[in-house]
Amino acid sequence: MKPQITAKPKKTIKDSELNYEVGSSADEPISKTKLKAEADAQQALGVRLSELPKDKLLKLDLPDAVITAVLDTKKITANGAIRRHRQYLGRLMRDVDNAPILEQLARWDGKHTAENAYFHGLERWRDRMIADNNVLSEFIALYPQVDIQQLRTLVRNAQKELEANKPPKSSRELFKLLREITNPQQPEEQSDF
C-alpha cells in the first residue's frame, strides 16, 4: 500500500491579521516589499549607529538595550554572527522613534562637511600666499586686523622651507594663523542634541 499524501489546507487570512498602512484607504494592506524596505532601513540605521564613536552614541536619546547592542557590535567578528546581530539591531530599532536620530546624524554630517570646506578654503589661501606675494595683499585687504609682520614672516619662512625641501613647519603655523584670523571665536563642539 502506498501512503496517501494529503494536501494541507490553505491558510486563510483574516482581515484582523492584515497590516494596513496608516493614512491610506482601509482596503489597501501594506505590501511585503514596503515592510521589507522599512526593516532594511531600521537595520541600516542600527549599523550606522554602530559606526559612531561612543561619545556621540551616548548623546543620542536611545534605550539602554539599543546602546548595549550597538556597543556589542564591535565585539562580534564571525560573519554569521554579524549578520544575525544586525538583524537583532534592526528589530530593536523598530521600537525607537528614528526621526530625532536621523536629524542629529544629518546635523553631524552637515557640520563635518561645512568644516571640511572651511579648512580646504584656508589651505587654498595658504598655498596661494606661498606661491604668489600679491595674494598676501588681497588677504590683508579682507582682514585688516591681521598682524601683517607676523603673516609676512610666516609666508617668507614657508617659501624658504618649500625651496629647501624642509618639513613644512612654517606652513602649518601659517595655516593656524589663518584659522585664528578668519574664525576668531572657535567654539568647542556644541551639543546639538
Side-chain angles (χ1 to χ4, degrees):
M1 275 187 154
K2 288 186 178 179
Q4 289 184 343
I5 301 175
T6 57
K8 290 184 178 180
K10 291 186 179 180
K11 183 180 176 185
T12 58
I13 299 174
K14 300 175 187 172
D15 278 344
S16 60
E17 294 176 357
L18 291 174
N19 295 321
Y20 289 98
E21 189 171 351
V22 178
S24 68
S25 67
D27 296 334
E28 298 178 26
I30 299 177
S31 68
K32 286 185 180 182
T33 305
K34 188 164 186 176
L35 288 173
K36 175 77 170 128
E38 289 174 5
D40 288 344
Q42 298 292 346
Q43 186 174 338
L45 181 59
V47 170
R48 173 93 191 274
L49 291 176
S50 67
E51 296 168 352
L52 289 176
K54 186 176 180 180
D55 61 330
K56 283 190 175 185
L57 182 66
L58 295 176
K59 287 181 183 179
L60 297 172
D61 187 26
L62 297 172
D64 291 336
V66 174
I67 291 176
T68 304
V70 168
L71 293 176
D72 288 345
T73 303
K74 296 176 183 175
K75 299 176 188 174
I76 300 172
T77 57
N79 285 336
I82 291 171
R83 182 185 52 78
R84 285 189 304 274
H85 191 72
R86 286 181 176 173
Q87 289 174 342
Y88 173 66
L89 268 174
R91 189 168 50 244
L92 287 176
M93 292 304 296
R94 289 181 206 153
D95 300 330
V96 178
D97 183 19
N98 295 338
I101 297 169
L102 292 172
E103 287 175 15
Q104 182 61 37
L105 290 174
R107 272 185 258 155
W108 284 337
D109 290 344
K111 180 179 181 192
H112 182 69
T113 305
E115 203 171 79
N116 282 346
Y118 170 69
F119 285 141
H120 287 305
L122 290 179
E123 288 172 349
R124 282 192 297 274
W125 269 113
R126 178 195 61 199
D127 294 343
R128 287 178 55 212
M129 283 181 192
I130 293 171
D132 185 12
N133 288 331
N134 295 331
V135 176
L136 189 62
S137 57
E138 286 179 38
F139 186 80
I140 294 170
L142 287 173
Y143 299 97
Q145 76 276 12
V146 67
D147 181 5
I148 299 170
Q149 184 176 358
Q150 180 185 16
L151 191 63
R152 287 178 196 249
T153 303
L154 286 174
V155 168
R156 192 174 329 111
N157 290 345
Q159 289 169 341
K160 288 179 184 176
E161 289 170 354
L162 185 65
E163 290 172 4
N165 289 329
K166 290 187 176 181
K169 178 184 172 190
S170 296
S171 180
R172 289 186 193 117
E173 289 179 20
L174 178 61
F175 181 83
K176 288 179 188 175
L177 180 64
L178 293 177
R179 189 174 63 201
E180 291 171 9
I181 293 168
T182 57
N183 191 8
Q185 69 279 358
Q186 292 182 2
E188 295 301 315
E189 185 172 334
Q190 298 169 351
S191 174
D192 293 329
F193 200 66

